[in-house]
Amino acid sequence: MKNLDLSLYLVTDKSDDVETFLKTIEEGIKGGVSVVQIREKTAETLDFYDLALKVKEITRKYNVPLIINDRVDVALAIDADGVHVGQTDLPCDVTRKLIGDDKILGVSASTIEEARKAEKDGADYIGTGAVFPTATKDDAPKITKKDLKDVVDSINIPVVAIGGITLDNAHELKDTGIAGLSVVSAIMSAENPKKASEELLNIFNS
């Protein structure tokens, strides 16, 4: 299995100010972000491609894996480190065939059945949530702390928790066995993304 540090997994939020967007990502990495996933649900392909190349410059500089959400074509075009797919995206086993064995493949799964299928079909890790109410993904299924723990216990690949995780509630996920915290607004909207990342990591590691 790939040696993945998923402890602080940043999912980006759309931004009209590219410079601020890139600076926020870099500051987050300086604070301890261990994986960056670009999520651009509404971007035109060329815009997504151009933005992904800019983010890749930063992630390569700090040797942090870059994951592309949903868009296998963009991931392959920029030679990203991996892809993350949801339950309504390309199937996990098809995605694995397209990207090969060396790339990282993450799958969103909110049930034990989905998680087990993803593991069988070649996923390297699972993203499970939403563990708290979230404004960034209205359609995300809500799961309990017990549901999260059950998913973790049902598979042999790592699980990151996602959905509404903040500095105020991250401590509630202790003892669930997760491999990391996946956050959007807690870093992307923070006044000081570096400090926010450091504090989230401290909560996770304490």
Side-chain angles (χ1 to χ4, degrees), residues 47-76:
D47 293 339
F48 195 162
Y49 171 80
D50 287 339
L51 184 66
L53 280 176
K54 291 186 174 93
V55 176
K56 185 182 169 185
E57 281 181 31
I58 296 167
T59 56
R60 283 285 148 95
K61 178 175 162 189
Y62 295 95
N63 202 27
V64 165
L66 175 63
I67 308 290
I68 303 292
N69 179 271
D70 194 4
R71 295 292 301 271
V72 177
D73 55 341
V74 174
L76 292 173

Side-chain angles (χ1 to χ4, degrees), residues 16 30 47 55 77 91 122 153 182 184 202:
D16 298 323
K30 286 179 182 174
D47 293 339
V55 176
D153 291 342
S182 182
V184 186
N202 281 340

Side-chain angles (χ1 to χ4, degrees), residues 70-73 85-95 98 105 107:
D70 194 4
R71 295 292 301 271
V72 177
D73 55 341
V85 293
Q87 292 296 315
T88 59
D89 298 325
L90 274 179
C92 177
D93 55 346
V94 175
T95 304
L98 289 169
L105 177 53
V107 177

Side-chain angles (χ1 to χ4, degrees), residues 1-7 9-11 35-38 65-70 81-87 92 96 99 103-109 114-128 151 155-162 179-182:
M1 195 164 60
K2 300 170 185 79
N3 189 20
L4 261 180
D5 177 4
L6 296 162
S7 50
Y9 187 123
L10 174 63
V11 180
V35 179
V36 174
Q37 180 195 129
I38 310 180
L66 175 63
I67 308 290
I68 303 292
N69 179 271
D70 194 4
D81 298 289
V83 180
H84 186 96
V85 293
Q87 292 296 315
C92 177
R96 173 55 78 200
I99 66 174
K103 300 274 188 202
I104 300 162
L105 177 53
V107 177
S108 298
E114 289 173 355
R116 283 180 174 157
K117 184 171 188 332
E119 180 178 28
K120 181 171 85 60
D121 289 346
D124 293 303
Y125 72 90
I126 298 293
T128 297
V151 169
I155 54 175
N156 296 306
I157 55 174
V159 175
V160 293
I162 188 165
L181 305 171
S182 182

Side-chain angles (χ1 to χ4, degrees), residues 139-195:
D139 59 344
K142 308 290 186 288
I143 65 161
T144 66
K145 188 172 163 182
K146 182 186 181 303
D147 293 334
L148 176 63
K149 196 169 184 321
D150 287 346
V151 169
V152 171
D153 291 342
S154 71
I155 54 175
N156 296 306
I157 55 174
V159 175
V160 293
I162 188 165
I165 298 170
T166 66
L167 287 168
D168 295 328
N169 62 25
H171 66 278
E172 294 178 36
L173 299 173
K174 284 188 192 303
D175 309 321
T176 55
I178 55 171
L181 305 171
S182 182
V183 301
V184 186
S185 307
I187 293 174
M188 294 304 293
S189 301
E191 278 185 36
N192 186 333
K194 180 172 180 283
K195 185 164 178 280

